[in-house]
Amino acid sequence: MAADLVEAFVSIGLSEQKAKETLKNEQLAKFLKDIIQEAEKCGDGEVHNKEVGKLLYQLATKIKSQIRSHWRLITRYIAQKKINSELQLTAALDYLLHNPLEPVDVAAFEQACGVGVVVTPEEIENAVEAVVKKYKGELLEKRYKFGVGTILGEAKAKLKWADGKAIKNEVDMQILDLLGPKTEADLEKPAKQKAAKPAKKTEDAGDQAEKSAAADSLIAADGHVKSFMEVMGDAVKFHKPGENYKTDGYIITPNTMRLLEEHVKAIGGKVHTRFPPEPNGILHIGHAKAINFNFGYARSNGGNCYLRYDDTNPEKEEERFFLGIRDMVEWLGYKPFKVTHASDNFDKLYECAVELIKRGHAYVCHQRPEELKGFNPPDSPYRDRPIEESLRLFEDMRKGKIAEGDAILRMKTTLEEGKKDPVAYRIKFTPHHRTGDKWCIYPTYDFTHCLCDSIENITHSLCTKEFQSRRSSYYWLCNVLDMYCPVQWEYGRLNLNYTVVSKRKIGKLITEGFVRDWDDPRLFTLTALRRRGFPPEAINYFTAKVGVTMAQTVIDPVMLESCVREVLNITAPRAMAVLEPLKVVIQNFPTDHPGELTVPNFPADESKGSHKVPISSTVYIERSDFREEADKNYKRLAPNQPVGLRHTGFIITVDKVVKDSNGQVTELVVKAANASEAPKPKAFIHWVSEPLHCEVRLYERLFFHKSPEDPAEVPGGFLTDVNKDSLTVLPNAMVDTSVMKAKVFDKFQFERNGFFSVDPDSTPDKLVFNRTVTLKEDPGKN
């Protein structure tokens, strides 16, 4: 059998290797076999040649599922040589995709794909002559180095159904007639011009690193961070509004084209997407990708995006989650077109359920949840229950006459994963956040989601890949109810190493005291990232760099932190802070010093302004910036090793070390020299004078292992993997007075220490700062 198929495929012009490769795809092989047999029936005996065979093979591989019922029609036209070019075949498929229903308007079909159109040699000659005349001057100047593709393209545009080879031959002949044979100069290859070398410029390692980062950055020189869709660009190629039927797998019914026309009219031809979170927890980093994709795609196409709460489970929904979700969407920079709720449609959804029963596509079932679990459970004994009986029982469910768990409404369909008859409605005697006690039956995701998308005229239903198994029921439900059917597109989820995002597991971390709440900066909820100081632009930038793929993506937090640094480097003004202070007294501080310095907010760009910092004879430096004994690798302050104080123009040298009774260094007495009059020191260190006292919180990873939820990696469970030293609190830190009026979530770069953000725990008497990220990636991190 296999040998016969290989022989049949080779007979239409496929190579033996291509024929064997085709055989590996059982569905394609069977379909191509049927096409060949059909062509043999209706052809003129010349089916087994390369030109016809090529078109038959292209038909088998290119035809979309929604117009596959027309394959015999197209096969007949190919076999009878009415369609004899790839261009005509493409036009035929496109026509049928726009006009998929039976019967086909034969006259319109033939006109659309050029059946019977004969382009004479004279027409080809005249068309090419007109184009050559247009470019005659350039041809004479550049001769054979002129791009002939330009002439070919324009000639083909004039003669849509002309044979491409005939046009190419005519172009070659007319150019030869105009220019004559190629000369030696025509045959010479153009000399390669070497790019001029840029002038050498001395720059330090910091400049080089900054320029290297900028080269790869998606942040413009003016600070603009490219949006999700600016980065994705042509990588996201979806159907246009109203052209749902062009999507692979989309199901076309006799009502499809009418419903699409009504849909396009209702939306004004604009893209409409939706972000549909469940209001039962706080959004996390994975949701940031969904927000950017849904809102970003709509925005980039001049469309609208709904924020729709999927509030069909009243047991787990809380007001703070509704408010928190919207807050995070807007924090990321998006304004919903409308804020809606699945519960807005409860009445309509109930009507749809009743109609589904009436059409014989749903039934009331009394099986318990445990009976429905597992693979391939047996069919429900209630599947063939009379329609009137199911209608009566469903009404009893609605009126509260049946206990929880004693009845469910199931749909007569099968999901891709093989799950049969998914649940549409279940009984819950729980008041709803918005509808109160009106309902005691609530629809499931499988029933609600597609119908709400339909009601809201969503053009692109973008969801993560785990919902791919729901796509068949999505299309099925809209179509059996004769409602507009959107297109569902799936993409891979975004996950991070060294974290958990499960609402249940985060709840466990909170109740066990490992973290304070949902916004603890060690978590990767969006509220936690905001509190830690991650700017929304950096999160959007990160999701853009990750991109949209079908594969599930697991990213190391290092990439996210890198994006944060890139954004903060050009947006967070500099300040000086000392996390663990050591007092330094400058015994020869100049008496005529004005007592303050002007320091640029961004040293690399002084046009962004400056701020004042006080300075006196007493300053504070980092305790780690002084050692009593220095080795050859230590470059900061030591008894015989001076350092510079940043921005001051002073070089200080230790004169005296003061210690307490325990031998702890409590104070340094130093002498200052003018930087212009002293040897250049090995290092310049930061300092503060007359500072503000503050609290600083330093964060490390919450988990030790990349996959704390993986039993193979962490056999004892994720709670055993918690890093109990992931938070360090420094209660006696100091910061310069330039930050005095800082507000919650204001961000700064503390020179040499990292990027920091003002925490909501701050009071008028004492600021609290969270370290957002260090200045560079920790080399110890994987």
Side-chain angles (χ1 to χ4, degrees), residues 102-308:
E102 301 279 5
V104 174
D105 183 333
V106 174
F109 171 75
E110 292 188 349
Q111 183 179 3
C113 51
V115 172
V117 175
V118 177
V119 181
T120 65
E122 290 76 14
E123 289 175 309
I124 294 174
E125 181 183 355
N126 292 336
V128 171
E129 187 177 344
V131 181
V132 169
K133 184 177 180 181
K134 176 181 175 182
Y135 292 101
K136 184 176 180 180
E138 287 186 70
L139 278 164
L140 291 171
E141 178 187 351
K142 298 178 181 179
R143 292 183 57 79
Y144 286 100
K145 291 182 174 61
F146 179 83
V148 73
T150 303
I151 296 174
L152 279 171
E154 291 193 22
K156 286 180 180 179
K158 290 175 177 286
L159 302 168
K160 183 176 181 180
W161 305 116
D163 179 67
K165 289 182 180 178
I167 294 177
K168 175 68 167 60
N169 291 337
E170 183 64 31
V171 168
D172 290 343
M173 187 171 66
Q174 291 201 24
I175 289 178
L176 178 64
D177 186 53
L178 176 67
L179 303 178
K182 289 183 179 181
T183 64
E184 289 186 12
D186 293 327
L187 295 171
E188 284 180 5
K189 291 182 178 180
K192 289 184 179 179
Q193 294 184 342
K194 292 185 179 180
K197 290 184 178 179
K200 287 187 178 180
K201 180 184 174 183
T202 304
E203 54 187 7
D204 61 28
D207 289 336
Q208 291 174 350
E210 188 173 342
K211 288 187 177 181
S212 175
D216 297 329
S217 174
L218 299 178
I219 302 178
D222 62 359
H224 166 69
V225 181
K226 289 187 177 181
S227 71
F228 188 92
M229 292 310 304
E230 282 180 294
V231 176
M232 294 310 301
D234 288 341
V236 179
K237 292 182 178 178
F238 291 148
H239 68 278
K240 294 178 181 178
E243 294 187 353
N244 306 31
Y245 55 85
K246 289 188 174 182
T247 306
D248 287 340
Y250 192 79
I251 298 168
I252 296 175
T253 73
N255 292 316
T256 294
M257 305 314 285
R258 173 183 60 81
L259 290 168
L260 285 175
E261 286 179 15
E262 294 171 359
H263 157 70
V264 171
K265 186 176 180 181
I267 61 173
K270 289 185 175 181
V271 165
H272 279 66
T273 60
R274 81 291 168 272
F275 172 58
E278 296 179 68
N280 60 359
I282 297 297
L283 302 183
H284 56 72
I285 186 67
H287 290 111
K289 179 177 178 180
I291 291 169
N292 272 282
F293 199 6
N294 278 284
F295 282 92
Y297 184 70
R299 177 187 286 178
S300 68
N301 286 279
N304 300 310
C305 182
Y306 288 85
L307 168 58
R308 184 208 304 149

Side-chain angles (χ1 to χ4, degrees), residues 60 170 277 339 362 408 440 471 481 517 545 555 570 572 628 667 754:
E170 183 64 31
V339 177
I408 51 177
C440 63
R471 193 200 303 169
L481 288 171
D517 207 339
K545 288 184 78 170
I555 303 293
I570 59 173
E628 289 189 81
E667 182 180 315

Side-chain angles (χ1 to χ4, degrees), residues 21-39:
E21 285 178 7
T22 303
L23 202 61
K24 293 177 183 178
N25 185 330
E26 290 184 19
Q27 288 186 332
L28 175 60
K30 183 180 182 307
F31 188 36
L32 182 57
K33 172 193 169 188
D34 292 342
I35 287 174
I36 293 171
Q37 289 177 345
E38 182 68 21

Side-chain angles (χ1 to χ4, degrees), residues 642-711:
V643 295
L645 293 182
R646 284 179 64 78
H647 308 299
T648 65
F650 293 153
I651 308 296
I652 60 171
T653 304
V654 176
D655 193 47
K656 181 181 179 182
V657 178
V658 180
K659 300 182 181 180
D660 62 14
S661 58
N662 297 318
Q664 176 79 17
V665 176
T666 58
E667 182 180 315
L668 301 176
V669 179
V670 302
K671 289 181 179 177
N674 222 317
S676 61
E677 300 171 357
K680 185 178 179 180
K682 290 183 177 180
F684 286 81
I685 62 174
H686 65 282
W687 52 273
V688 292
S689 183
E690 301 176 23
L692 299 175
H693 290 267
C694 64
E695 178 181 306
V696 169
R697 298 170 182 172
L698 308 178
Y699 300 96
E700 301 296 335
R701 285 179 179 155
L702 185 59
F703 297 100
F704 291 110
H705 291 85
K706 283 187 175 183
S707 306
E709 298 170 274
D710 184 355

Side-chain angles (χ1 to χ4, degrees), residues 729-748:
V729 179
L730 303 174
N732 301 311
M734 298 176 176
V735 62
D736 74 51
T737 54
S738 68
V739 306
M740 185 182 297
K741 296 181 180 178
K743 303 182 294 296
V744 172
F745 301 137
D746 279 356
K747 298 161 184 59
F748 301 92

